[in-house]
Tab-separated table of all heavy atoms in Angstrom:
chain	number	residue	atom	x	y	z
A	160	MET	N	13.986	-17.122	-18.656
A	160	MET	CA	13.097	-16.793	-17.544
A	160	MET	C	11.870	-17.698	-17.635
A	160	MET	O	11.294	-17.855	-18.722
A	160	MET	CB	12.669	-15.326	-17.619
A	160	MET	CG	11.716	-14.925	-16.522
A	160	MET	SD	11.408	-13.169	-16.386
A	160	MET	CE	10.366	-12.884	-17.809
A	161	ASN	N	11.455	-18.241	-16.545
A	161	ASN	CA	10.274	-19.071	-16.453
A	161	ASN	C	9.078	-18.155	-16.127
A	161	ASN	O	8.947	-17.661	-15.009
A	161	ASN	CB	10.422	-20.140	-15.396
A	161	ASN	CG	9.259	-21.096	-15.352
A	161	ASN	OD1	8.114	-20.672	-15.395
A	161	ASN	ND2	9.561	-22.382	-15.200
A	162	GLU	N	8.216	-17.923	-17.108
A	162	GLU	CA	7.098	-17.003	-16.940
A	162	GLU	C	6.137	-17.419	-15.810
A	162	GLU	O	5.642	-16.571	-15.094
A	162	GLU	CB	6.309	-16.882	-18.253
A	162	GLU	CG	7.082	-16.142	-19.361
A	162	GLU	CD	7.252	-14.674	-19.082
A	162	GLU	OE1	6.462	-14.037	-18.360
A	162	GLU	OE2	8.224	-14.094	-19.604
A	163	ASP	N	5.905	-18.727	-15.669
A	163	ASP	CA	5.007	-19.180	-14.614
A	163	ASP	C	5.579	-18.908	-13.210
A	163	ASP	O	4.863	-18.430	-12.322
A	163	ASP	CB	4.709	-20.673	-14.759
A	163	ASP	CG	3.846	-20.997	-15.964
A	163	ASP	OD1	3.058	-20.117	-16.387
A	163	ASP	OD2	3.937	-22.132	-16.488
A	164	VAL	N	6.858	-19.169	-13.009
A	164	VAL	CA	7.515	-18.918	-11.735
A	164	VAL	C	7.516	-17.411	-11.461
A	164	VAL	O	7.171	-16.963	-10.337
A	164	VAL	CB	8.958	-19.471	-11.705
A	164	VAL	CG1	9.688	-19.004	-10.463
A	164	VAL	CG2	8.926	-20.982	-11.792
A	165	PHE	N	7.862	-16.615	-12.465
A	165	PHE	CA	7.900	-15.161	-12.323
A	165	PHE	C	6.524	-14.636	-11.944
A	165	PHE	O	6.357	-13.842	-10.989
A	165	PHE	CB	8.398	-14.520	-13.629
A	165	PHE	CG	8.327	-13.013	-13.619
A	165	PHE	CD1	8.923	-12.252	-12.646
A	165	PHE	CD2	7.660	-12.362	-14.650
A	165	PHE	CE1	8.840	-10.862	-12.668
A	165	PHE	CE2	7.607	-10.978	-14.696
A	165	PHE	CZ	8.190	-10.244	-13.701
A	166	ASN	N	5.477	-15.058	-12.687
A	166	ASN	CA	4.124	-14.571	-12.438
A	166	ASN	C	3.627	-14.978	-11.050
A	166	ASN	O	3.056	-14.128	-10.330
A	166	ASN	CB	3.181	-15.136	-13.519
A	166	ASN	CG	1.824	-14.522	-13.428
A	166	ASN	OD1	0.957	-14.990	-12.704
A	166	ASN	ND2	1.624	-13.447	-14.192
A	167	THR	N	3.903	-16.188	-10.614
A	167	THR	CA	3.490	-16.647	-9.310
A	167	THR	C	4.194	-15.870	-8.212
A	167	THR	O	3.575	-15.447	-7.219
A	167	THR	CB	3.754	-18.157	-9.143
A	167	THR	OG1	3.018	-18.870	-10.155
A	167	THR	CG2	3.359	-18.670	-7.767
A	168	SER	N	5.495	-15.665	-8.380
A	168	SER	CA	6.268	-14.918	-7.405
A	168	SER	C	5.804	-13.463	-7.319
A	168	SER	O	5.660	-12.886	-6.241
A	168	SER	CB	7.737	-14.978	-7.740
A	168	SER	OG	8.506	-14.294	-6.804
A	169	LEU	N	5.569	-12.851	-8.471
A	169	LEU	CA	5.119	-11.452	-8.523
A	169	LEU	C	3.755	-11.300	-7.868
A	169	LEU	O	3.519	-10.395	-7.071
A	169	LEU	CB	5.079	-10.987	-9.966
A	169	LEU	CG	4.626	-9.546	-10.208
A	169	LEU	CD1	5.492	-8.553	-9.461
A	169	LEU	CD2	4.668	-9.238	-11.702
A	170	ARG	N	2.839	-12.201	-8.165
A	170	ARG	CA	1.497	-12.136	-7.556
A	170	ARG	C	1.575	-12.314	-6.045
A	170	ARG	O	0.869	-11.649	-5.283
A	170	ARG	CB	0.584	-13.177	-8.180
A	170	ARG	CG	0.138	-12.814	-9.561
A	170	ARG	CD	-0.786	-13.913	-10.155
A	170	ARG	NE	-1.153	-13.588	-11.474
A	170	ARG	CZ	-2.275	-12.930	-11.807
A	170	ARG	NH1	-3.079	-12.519	-10.862
A	170	ARG	NH2	-2.543	-12.680	-13.081
A	171	GLY	N	2.441	-13.198	-5.561
A	171	GLY	CA	2.613	-13.404	-4.143
A	171	GLY	C	3.151	-12.129	-3.477
A	171	GLY	O	2.692	-11.746	-2.391
A	172	PHE	N	4.122	-11.477	-4.090
A	172	PHE	CA	4.668	-10.235	-3.581
A	172	PHE	C	3.594	-9.148	-3.506
A	172	PHE	O	3.437	-8.490	-2.496
A	172	PHE	CB	5.831	-9.764	-4.459
A	172	PHE	CG	6.325	-8.375	-4.107
A	172	PHE	CD1	7.084	-8.170	-2.955
A	172	PHE	CD2	6.046	-7.285	-4.901
A	172	PHE	CE1	7.545	-6.907	-2.628
A	172	PHE	CE2	6.471	-6.031	-4.590
A	172	PHE	CZ	7.222	-5.833	-3.426
A	173	LEU	N	2.842	-8.985	-4.607
A	173	LEU	CA	1.797	-7.949	-4.625
A	173	LEU	C	0.693	-8.206	-3.623
A	173	LEU	O	0.152	-7.270	-3.014
A	173	LEU	CB	1.232	-7.823	-6.035
A	173	LEU	CG	2.190	-7.249	-7.078
A	173	LEU	CD1	1.596	-7.326	-8.473
A	173	LEU	CD2	2.616	-5.826	-6.731
A	174	LYS	N	0.355	-9.470	-3.403
A	174	LYS	CA	-0.657	-9.836	-2.407
A	174	LYS	C	-0.158	-9.449	-1.019
A	174	LYS	O	-0.870	-8.835	-0.210
A	174	LYS	CB	-0.955	-11.313	-2.475
A	174	LYS	CG	-2.050	-11.755	-1.533
A	174	LYS	CD	-2.356	-13.223	-1.733
A	174	LYS	CE	-3.477	-13.674	-0.784
A	174	LYS	NZ	-3.805	-15.084	-0.946
A	175	LYS	N	1.105	-9.759	-0.734
A	175	LYS	CA	1.686	-9.404	0.567
A	175	LYS	C	1.718	-7.888	0.773
A	175	LYS	O	1.382	-7.394	1.847
A	175	LYS	CB	3.124	-9.981	0.683
A	175	LYS	CG	3.745	-9.777	2.039
A	175	LYS	CD	5.179	-10.296	2.060
A	175	LYS	CE	5.221	-11.790	1.974
A	175	LYS	NZ	6.590	-12.337	2.137
A	176	VAL	N	2.112	-7.170	-0.265
A	176	VAL	CA	2.149	-5.704	-0.202
A	176	VAL	C	0.745	-5.151	0.088
A	176	VAL	O	0.560	-4.330	0.974
A	176	VAL	CB	2.714	-5.097	-1.504
A	176	VAL	CG1	2.464	-3.585	-1.565
A	176	VAL	CG2	4.179	-5.407	-1.618
A	177	GLY	N	-0.249	-5.661	-0.647
A	177	GLY	CA	-1.601	-5.158	-0.473
A	177	GLY	C	-2.164	-5.432	0.890
A	177	GLY	O	-2.709	-4.557	1.562
A	178	ILE	N	-2.018	-6.641	1.377
A	178	ILE	CA	-2.582	-7.036	2.676
A	178	ILE	C	-1.868	-6.303	3.827
A	178	ILE	O	-2.530	-5.716	4.686
A	178	ILE	CB	-2.486	-8.551	2.859
A	178	ILE	CG1	-3.432	-9.254	1.895
A	178	ILE	CG2	-2.810	-8.967	4.302
A	178	ILE	CD1	-3.251	-10.743	1.797
A	179	THR	N	-0.561	-6.319	3.821
A	179	THR	CA	0.169	-5.683	4.934
A	179	THR	C	0.004	-4.162	4.894
A	179	THR	O	-0.122	-3.550	5.948
A	179	THR	CB	1.659	-6.046	4.929
A	179	THR	OG1	2.247	-5.705	3.687
A	179	THR	CG2	1.843	-7.534	5.185
A	180	SER	N	-0.045	-3.554	3.712
A	180	SER	CA	-0.233	-2.094	3.618
A	180	SER	C	-1.596	-1.713	4.162
A	180	SER	O	-1.713	-0.732	4.904
A	180	SER	CB	-0.094	-1.649	2.169
A	180	SER	OG	1.203	-1.859	1.695
A	181	GLN	N	-2.615	-2.471	3.802
A	181	GLN	CA	-3.959	-2.154	4.293
A	181	GLN	C	-4.032	-2.239	5.792
A	181	GLN	O	-4.561	-1.354	6.469
A	181	GLN	CB	-5.012	-3.094	3.664
A	181	GLN	CG	-6.411	-2.733	4.115
A	181	GLN	CD	-7.488	-3.559	3.405
A	181	GLN	OE1	-7.215	-4.209	2.413
A	181	GLN	NE2	-8.703	-3.473	3.938
A	182	ARG	N	-3.444	-3.278	6.376
A	182	ARG	CA	-3.442	-3.445	7.835
A	182	ARG	C	-2.726	-2.270	8.522
A	182	ARG	O	-3.214	-1.746	9.528
A	182	ARG	CB	-2.773	-4.756	8.232
A	182	ARG	CG	-3.589	-5.966	7.967
A	182	ARG	CD	-2.867	-7.233	8.398
A	182	ARG	NE	-3.584	-8.415	7.956
A	182	ARG	CZ	-3.018	-9.566	7.736
A	182	ARG	NH1	-1.734	-9.720	7.870
A	182	ARG	NH2	-3.744	-10.609	7.349
A	183	GLU	N	-1.575	-1.885	7.994
A	183	GLU	CA	-0.810	-0.820	8.613
A	183	GLU	C	-1.545	0.529	8.522
A	183	GLU	O	-1.545	1.314	9.474
A	183	GLU	CB	0.562	-0.699	7.963
A	183	GLU	CG	1.488	-1.862	8.276
A	183	GLU	CD	1.785	-2.022	9.748
A	183	GLU	OE1	2.050	-0.970	10.416
A	183	GLU	OE2	1.780	-3.160	10.259
A	184	ILE	N	-2.170	0.802	7.390
A	184	ILE	CA	-2.919	2.042	7.210
A	184	ILE	C	-4.119	2.064	8.157
A	184	ILE	O	-4.377	3.069	8.839
A	184	ILE	CB	-3.345	2.224	5.745
A	184	ILE	CG1	-2.143	2.446	4.854
A	184	ILE	CG2	-4.359	3.367	5.623
A	184	ILE	CD1	-2.431	2.322	3.369
A	185	GLU	N	-4.857	0.967	8.210
A	185	GLU	CA	-6.027	0.908	9.086
A	185	GLU	C	-5.612	1.107	10.541
A	185	GLU	O	-6.268	1.867	11.274
A	185	GLU	CB	-6.732	-0.449	8.952
A	185	GLU	CG	-7.492	-0.569	7.641
A	185	GLU	CD	-8.047	-1.972	7.405
A	185	GLU	OE1	-7.640	-2.925	8.119
A	185	GLU	OE2	-8.884	-2.088	6.506
A	186	LYS	N	-4.534	0.484	10.984
A	186	LYS	CA	-4.088	0.628	12.372
A	186	LYS	C	-3.693	2.089	12.657
A	186	LYS	O	-4.065	2.641	13.667
A	186	LYS	CB	-2.926	-0.302	12.646
A	186	LYS	CG	-2.437	-0.249	14.077
A	186	LYS	CD	-1.255	-1.156	14.314
A	186	LYS	CE	-0.776	-1.150	15.742
A	186	LYS	NZ	-0.630	0.151	16.381
A	187	ALA	N	-2.911	2.678	11.769
A	187	ALA	CA	-2.459	4.052	11.957
A	187	ALA	C	-3.614	5.021	12.030
A	187	ALA	O	-3.642	5.945	12.879
A	187	ALA	CB	-1.490	4.447	10.862
A	188	VAL	N	-4.590	4.846	11.122
A	188	VAL	CA	-5.746	5.741	11.111
A	188	VAL	C	-6.600	5.550	12.352
A	188	VAL	O	-7.011	6.527	12.996
A	188	VAL	CB	-6.566	5.581	9.805
A	188	VAL	CG1	-7.899	6.265	9.894
A	188	VAL	CG2	-5.779	6.044	8.610
A	189	ARG	N	-6.869	4.317	12.725
A	189	ARG	CA	-7.672	4.053	13.930
A	189	ARG	C	-7.004	4.614	15.175
A	189	ARG	O	-7.642	5.186	16.049
A	189	ARG	CB	-7.965	2.564	14.076
A	189	ARG	CG	-8.959	2.061	13.083
A	189	ARG	CD	-9.398	0.626	13.359
A	189	ARG	NE	-10.370	0.245	12.348
A	189	ARG	CZ	-10.173	-0.689	11.407
A	189	ARG	NH1	-9.012	-1.340	11.361
A	189	ARG	NH2	-11.109	-0.988	10.531
A	190	ASP	N	-5.688	4.444	15.284
A	190	ASP	CA	-4.953	4.990	16.437
A	190	ASP	C	-5.023	6.500	16.449
A	190	ASP	O	-5.186	7.101	17.509
A	190	ASP	CB	-3.485	4.536	16.392
A	190	ASP	CG	-3.314	3.057	16.711
A	190	ASP	OD1	-4.268	2.395	17.129
A	190	ASP	OD2	-2.170	2.557	16.488
A	191	ALA	N	-4.899	7.130	15.275
A	191	ALA	CA	-4.950	8.597	15.219
A	191	ALA	C	-6.355	9.118	15.555
A	191	ALA	O	-6.465	10.168	16.214
A	191	ALA	CB	-4.528	9.062	13.813
A	192	VAL	N	-7.391	8.426	15.153
A	192	VAL	CA	-8.732	8.827	15.510
A	192	VAL	C	-8.952	8.640	17.015
A	192	VAL	O	-9.498	9.529	17.688
A	192	VAL	CB	-9.789	8.028	14.696
A	192	VAL	CG1	-11.208	8.285	15.227
A	192	VAL	CG2	-9.716	8.403	13.225
A	193	ALA	N	-8.532	7.512	17.561
A	193	ALA	CA	-8.696	7.233	18.985
A	193	ALA	C	-7.950	8.223	19.861
A	193	ALA	O	-8.426	8.636	20.923
A	193	ALA	CB	-8.219	5.820	19.321
A	194	SER	N	-6.811	8.730	19.394
A	194	SER	CA	-6.011	9.680	20.174
A	194	SER	C	-6.459	11.117	19.973
A	194	SER	O	-5.962	12.031	20.628
A	194	SER	CB	-4.534	9.558	19.818
A	194	SER	OG	-4.261	10.095	18.511
A	195	GLY	N	-7.399	11.347	19.026
A	195	GLY	CA	-7.876	12.698	18.760
A	195	GLY	C	-7.037	13.451	17.717
A	195	GLY	O	-7.351	14.598	17.409
A	196	LYS	N	-6.015	12.829	17.185
A	196	LYS	CA	-5.199	13.499	16.174
A	196	LYS	C	-6.002	13.699	14.881
A	196	LYS	O	-5.794	14.694	14.181
A	196	LYS	CB	-3.938	12.673	15.903
A	196	LYS	CG	-2.962	13.347	14.997
A	196	LYS	CD	-1.663	12.596	14.874
A	196	LYS	CE	-0.697	13.337	13.934
A	196	LYS	NZ	0.565	12.624	13.797
A	197	LEU	N	-6.884	12.750	14.595
A	197	LEU	CA	-7.792	12.885	13.434
A	197	LEU	C	-9.233	12.851	13.953
A	197	LEU	O	-9.525	12.212	14.956
A	197	LEU	CB	-7.589	11.677	12.461
A	197	LEU	CG	-6.277	11.614	11.721
A	197	LEU	CD1	-6.253	10.313	10.889
A	197	LEU	CD2	-6.065	12.794	10.811
A	198	LYS	N	-10.113	13.536	13.216
A	198	LYS	CA	-11.519	13.531	13.575
A	198	LYS	C	-12.269	12.357	12.952
A	198	LYS	O	-13.270	11.914	13.461
A	198	LYS	CB	-12.176	14.826	13.144
A	198	LYS	CG	-11.646	16.026	13.875
A	198	LYS	CD	-12.315	17.313	13.376
A	198	LYS	CE	-11.713	18.515	14.096
A	198	LYS	NZ	-12.289	19.742	13.610
A	199	GLY	N	-11.767	11.863	11.815
A	199	GLY	CA	-12.388	10.746	11.143
A	199	GLY	C	-13.137	11.107	9.885
A	199	GLY	O	-13.784	10.284	9.273
A	200	ASN	N	-13.048	12.396	9.513
A	200	ASN	CA	-13.721	12.832	8.280
A	200	ASN	C	-12.733	13.468	7.281
A	200	ASN	O	-13.145	14.067	6.298
A	200	ASN	CB	-14.843	13.821	8.603
A	200	ASN	CG	-14.337	15.060	9.318
A	200	ASN	OD1	-13.167	15.129	9.720
A	200	ASN	ND2	-15.206	16.023	9.500
A	201	GLU	N	-11.447	13.283	7.528
A	201	GLU	CA	-10.435	13.889	6.667
A	201	GLU	C	-10.211	13.099	5.393
A	201	GLU	O	-10.636	11.975	5.253
A	201	GLU	CB	-9.078	13.962	7.436
A	201	GLU	CG	-9.068	14.865	8.638
A	201	GLU	CD	-9.522	14.172	9.920
A	201	GLU	OE1	-10.060	13.063	9.874
A	201	GLU	OE2	-9.327	14.774	10.974
A	202	LYS	N	-9.472	13.769	4.495
A	202	LYS	CA	-8.872	13.123	3.335
A	202	LYS	C	-7.392	13.162	3.571
A	202	LYS	O	-6.810	14.194	3.820
A	202	LYS	CB	-9.216	13.872	2.036
A	202	LYS	CG	-10.663	13.729	1.601
A	202	LYS	CD	-10.864	14.433	0.268
A	202	LYS	CE	-12.301	14.302	-0.177
A	202	LYS	NZ	-12.518	14.959	-1.474
A	203	LEU	N	-6.761	11.988	3.543
A	203	LEU	CA	-5.345	11.903	3.803
A	203	LEU	C	-4.564	11.654	2.518
A	203	LEU	O	-4.940	10.794	1.728
A	203	LEU	CB	-5.068	10.757	4.770
A	203	LEU	CG	-5.851	10.764	6.075
A	203	LEU	CD1	-5.585	9.487	6.862
A	203	LEU	CD2	-5.509	11.986	6.899
A	204	SER	N	-3.529	12.437	2.295
A	204	SER	CA	-2.685	12.158	1.123
A	204	SER	C	-1.853	10.938	1.389
A	204	SER	O	-1.403	10.690	2.502
A	204	SER	CB	-1.806	13.374	0.831
A	204	SER	OG	-0.913	13.623	1.893
A	205	ALA	N	-1.702	10.130	0.367
A	205	ALA	CA	-0.942	8.888	0.510
A	205	ALA	C	-0.026	8.740	-0.692
A	205	ALA	O	-0.352	9.144	-1.805
A	205	ALA	CB	-1.909	7.690	0.596
A	206	LYS	N	1.127	8.132	-0.430
A	206	LYS	CA	2.086	7.878	-1.505
A	206	LYS	C	2.726	6.522	-1.282
A	206	LYS	O	3.117	6.189	-0.147
A	206	LYS	CB	3.142	8.968	-1.533
A	206	LYS	CG	4.224	8.742	-2.577
A	206	LYS	CD	5.161	9.934	-2.718
A	206	LYS	CE	6.030	10.146	-1.529
A	206	LYS	NZ	7.092	11.155	-1.748
A	207	MET	N	2.819	5.748	-2.349
A	207	MET	CA	3.495	4.448	-2.291
A	207	MET	C	4.641	4.501	-3.309
A	207	MET	O	4.415	4.881	-4.458
A	207	MET	CB	2.552	3.313	-2.636
A	207	MET	CG	3.128	1.954	-2.688
A	207	MET	SD	3.619	1.298	-1.074
A	207	MET	CE	2.015	0.882	-0.422
A	208	VAL	N	5.819	4.095	-2.866
A	208	VAL	CA	6.961	4.070	-3.792
A	208	VAL	C	7.434	2.612	-3.870
A	208	VAL	O	7.727	1.987	-2.878
A	208	VAL	CB	8.122	4.953	-3.274
A	208	VAL	CG1	9.309	4.870	-4.225
A	208	VAL	CG2	7.637	6.393	-3.140
A	209	LEU	N	7.449	2.108	-5.084
A	209	LEU	CA	7.878	0.746	-5.357
A	209	LEU	C	9.283	0.792	-5.992
A	209	LEU	O	9.474	1.510	-6.977
A	209	LEU	CB	6.918	0.059	-6.308
A	209	LEU	CG	7.341	-1.299	-6.873
A	209	LEU	CD1	7.373	-2.339	-5.786
A	209	LEU	CD2	6.448	-1.696	-8.002
A	210	THR	N	10.195	0.077	-5.417
A	210	THR	CA	11.521	0.005	-6.011
A	210	THR	C	11.887	-1.454	-6.181
A	210	THR	O	11.572	-2.272	-5.332
A	210	THR	CB	12.600	0.703	-5.147
A	210	THR	OG1	12.599	0.129	-3.833
A	210	THR	CG2	12.345	2.211	-5.044
A	211	ILE	N	12.535	-1.741	-7.299
A	211	ILE	CA	13.003	-3.109	-7.567
A	211	ILE	C	14.482	-3.011	-7.914
A	211	ILE	O	14.835	-2.400	-8.909
A	211	ILE	CB	12.218	-3.777	-8.746
A	211	ILE	CG1	10.719	-3.779	-8.487
A	211	ILE	CG2	12.757	-5.170	-9.035
A	211	ILE	CD1	10.269	-4.749	-7.419
A	212	GLY	N	15.300	-3.626	-7.091
A	212	GLY	CA	16.713	-3.655	-7.365
A	212	GLY	C	17.033	-4.559	-8.565
A	212	GLY	O	16.301	-5.479	-8.851
A	213	GLY	N	18.085	-4.251	-9.258
A	213	GLY	CA	18.531	-5.084	-10.362
A	213	GLY	C	17.953	-4.612	-11.699
A	213	GLY	O	18.483	-4.979	-12.757
A	214	VAL	N	16.880	-3.846	-11.650
A	214	VAL	CA	16.302	-3.324	-12.901
A	214	VAL	C	16.089	-1.832	-12.841
A	214	VAL	O	15.477	-1.241	-13.722
A	214	VAL	CB	14.967	-4.037	-13.290
A	214	VAL	CG1	15.221	-5.483	-13.609
A	214	VAL	CG2	13.930	-3.881	-12.183
A	215	ALA	N	16.556	-1.195	-11.776
A	215	ALA	CA	16.464	0.249	-11.607
A	215	ALA	C	15.063	0.772	-11.769
A	215	ALA	O	14.825	1.788	-12.375
A	215	ALA	CB	17.414	0.958	-12.577
A	216	LEU	N	14.088	0.052	-11.183
A	216	LEU	CA	12.689	0.485	-11.241
A	216	LEU	C	12.365	1.268	-9.969
A	216	LEU	O	12.651	0.838	-8.847
A	216	LEU	CB	11.734	-0.712	-11.295
A	216	LEU	CG	10.242	-0.387	-11.175
A	216	LEU	CD1	9.768	0.446	-12.363
A	216	LEU	CD2	9.420	-1.639	-11.013
A	217	SER	N	11.785	2.462	-10.169
A	217	SER	CA	11.230	3.246	-9.086
A	217	SER	C	9.903	3.796	-9.602
A	217	SER	O	9.885	4.584	-10.551
A	217	SER	CB	12.177	4.368	-8.691
A	217	SER	OG	11.628	5.117	-7.633
A	218	HIS	N	8.809	3.364	-8.972
A	218	HIS	CA	7.496	3.750	-9.440
A	218	HIS	C	6.721	4.329	-8.259
A	218	HIS	O	6.656	3.706	-7.206
A	218	HIS	CB	6.732	2.530	-10.005
A	218	HIS	CG	5.371	2.844	-10.494
A	218	HIS	ND1	5.123	3.596	-11.629
A	218	HIS	CD2	4.158	2.506	-9.990
A	218	HIS	CE1	3.836	3.698	-11.815
A	218	HIS	NE2	3.210	3.064	-10.817
A	219	GLU	N	6.141	5.519	-8.430
A	219	GLU	CA	5.464	6.227	-7.352
A	219	GLU	C	3.989	6.373	-7.692
A	219	GLU	O	3.623	6.744	-8.805
A	219	GLU	CB	6.102	7.575	-7.139
A	219	GLU	CG	5.512	8.372	-6.005
A	219	GLU	CD	6.251	9.676	-5.791
A	219	GLU	OE1	7.503	9.650	-5.675
A	219	GLU	OE2	5.577	10.732	-5.820
A	220	ILE	N	3.137	6.089	-6.711
A	220	ILE	CA	1.697	6.275	-6.843
A	220	ILE	C	1.245	7.206	-5.732
A	220	ILE	O	1.535	6.933	-4.551
A	220	ILE	CB	0.947	4.935	-6.750
A	220	ILE	CG1	1.395	4.014	-7.887
A	220	ILE	CG2	-0.559	5.153	-6.804
A	220	ILE	CD1	0.896	2.591	-7.742
A	221	SER	N	0.521	8.276	-6.074
A	221	SER	CA	0.005	9.197	-5.079
A	221	SER	C	-1.514	9.285	-5.260
A	221	SER	O	-2.017	9.262	-6.358
A	221	SER	CB	0.619	10.586	-5.269
A	221	SER	OG	2.000	10.533	-5.026
A	222	ASP	N	-2.182	9.403	-4.111
A	222	ASP	CA	-3.646	9.501	-4.129
A	222	ASP	C	-4.117	10.003	-2.772
A	222	ASP	O	-3.316	10.336	-1.919
A	222	ASP	CB	-4.262	8.126	-4.457
A	222	ASP	CG	-5.648	8.236	-5.086
A	222	ASP	OD1	-6.254	9.330	-5.059
A	222	ASP	OD2	-6.103	7.239	-5.629
A	223	GLU	N	-5.422	10.064	-2.591
A	223	GLU	CA	-5.991	10.432	-1.308
A	223	GLU	C	-6.801	9.274	-0.754
A	223	GLU	O	-7.418	8.530	-1.529
A	223	GLU	CB	-6.911	11.643	-1.434
A	223	GLU	CG	-6.161	12.936	-1.655
A	223	GLU	CD	-7.095	14.158	-1.593
A	223	GLU	OE1	-8.319	13.990	-1.873
A	223	GLU	OE2	-6.599	15.237	-1.270
A	224	ILE	N	-6.794	9.141	0.564
A	224	ILE	CA	-7.617	8.179	1.247
A	224	ILE	C	-8.665	8.988	2.030
A	224	ILE	O	-8.289	9.795	2.893
A	224	ILE	CB	-6.767	7.286	2.184
A	224	ILE	CG1	-5.759	6.503	1.403
A	224	ILE	CG2	-7.691	6.378	2.997
A	224	ILE	CD1	-4.769	5.744	2.241
A	225	GLU	N	-9.921	8.765	1.697
A	225	GLU	CA	-10.996	9.490	2.348
A	225	GLU	C	-11.521	8.709	3.519
A	225	GLU	O	-11.818	7.515	3.423
A	225	GLU	CB	-12.120	9.728	1.322
A	225	GLU	CG	-13.196	10.641	1.831
A	225	GLU	CD	-14.187	11.012	0.720
A	225	GLU	OE1	-13.935	10.740	-0.438
A	225	GLU	OE2	-15.221	11.555	1.078
A	226	LEU	N	-11.665	9.369	4.663
A	226	LEU	CA	-12.092	8.689	5.869
A	226	LEU	C	-13.623	8.742	6.075
A	226	LEU	O	-14.178	7.899	6.754
A	226	LEU	CB	-11.420	9.274	7.112
A	226	LEU	CG	-9.889	9.258	7.114
A	226	LEU	CD1	-9.344	9.770	8.425
A	226	LEU	CD2	-9.361	7.867	6.815
A	227	GLY	N	-14.244	9.756	5.566
A	227	GLY	CA	-15.695	9.801	5.765
A	227	GLY	C	-16.296	11.086	5.341
A	227	GLY	O	-15.705	12.000	4.891
């Protein structure tokens, strides 16, 4: 295994996950506030599940996102 290639590829994947996840969450929350479904002061439960095929990895992270 080439550690440099692996590290670069992994960092690229994580950057893509972080950026796209943030955009999707922001859009969903803004749309929900605009439609009246949310008031804008809630705490929302959030869960991210990471799976990697070939190594049987399944990792779950749960937390809250506070709106205000």
Side-chain angles (χ1 to χ4, degrees):
M160 178 170 74
N161 184 316
E162 291 291 334
D163 289 334
V164 171
F165 173 55
N166 188 273
T167 300
S168 181
L169 180 56
R170 286 179 182 268
F172 172 75
L173 292 173
K174 184 176 180 180
K175 185 183 291 186
V176 168
I178 291 168
T179 57
S180 296
Q181 181 174 348
R182 286 181 188 153
E183 291 298 317
I184 292 166
E185 288 173 346
K186 182 182 182 314
V188 168
R189 287 189 180 112
D190 289 350
V192 171
S194 72
K196 187 174 180 179
L197 294 175
K198 294 179 182 178
N200 60 351
E201 295 87 348
K202 289 183 180 181
L203 306 175
S204 62
K206 177 172 69 171
M207 178 70 75
V208 179
L209 170 70
T210 57
I211 304 289
V214 293
L216 172 67
S217 180
H218 181 70
E219 183 176 307
I220 299 170
S221 297
D222 205 346
E223 287 188 334
I224 298 172
E225 188 172 348
L226 303 184

